[in-house]
Amino acid sequence: MAHGFSACPILSRSFAARPCPRPKPPDFLPGILLLTRAIDDADQAFARAKAAGATILQEPEDRDYGSREFICQDPEGNLWCLGTYWPKVA
């Protein structure tokens, strides 16, 4: 949980570090997760992730399917794709 950014719990509101129990190997291999999360405000989440020390892999970008999203990596090596696209179920 270096830099106050962690994949657990998933996207805390402030990206602040919180105690998080970690499974012991071999149940947990750091840096192999790709997590996708729908959010309300991609620019605000981007600013918080960057300030918390996330490595930015893609700046916020508007997609042709209606999402504004960005990709970052936390200090544990996990990738996060955060965007506003939230498909509706008919």
Side-chain angles (χ1 to χ4, degrees), residues 16-28:
R18 293 186 187 176
C20 179
R22 295 276 186 212
K24 294 180 181 166
D27 300 325
F28 180 77

Side-chain angles (χ1 to χ4, degrees), residues 23-48:
K24 294 180 181 166
D27 300 325
F28 180 77
L29 298 173
I32 60 168
L33 295 175
L34 170 59
L35 304 160
T36 302
R37 178 77 187 229
I39 54 177
D40 292 326
D41 187 336
D43 294 304
Q44 182 182 38
F46 170 78
R48 288 195 321 236

Side-chain angles (χ1 to χ4, degrees), residues 25-88:
D27 300 325
F28 180 77
L29 298 173
I32 60 168
L33 295 175
L34 170 59
L35 304 160
T36 302
R37 178 77 187 229
I39 54 177
D40 292 326
D41 187 336
D43 294 304
Q44 182 182 38
F46 170 78
R48 288 195 321 236
K50 189 173 181 177
T55 301
I56 304 304
L57 303 175
Q58 178 189 308
E59 300 274 331
E61 185 176 302
D62 294 322
R63 299 292 189 181
D64 59 355
Y65 49 85
S67 183
R68 180 157 179 82
E69 58 193 38
F70 70 97
I71 301 172
C72 64
Q73 186 174 31
D74 66 25
E76 289 89 13
N78 300 302
L79 299 177
W80 293 82
C81 180
L82 305 166
T84 59
Y85 182 68
W86 192 285
K88 305 292 184 211

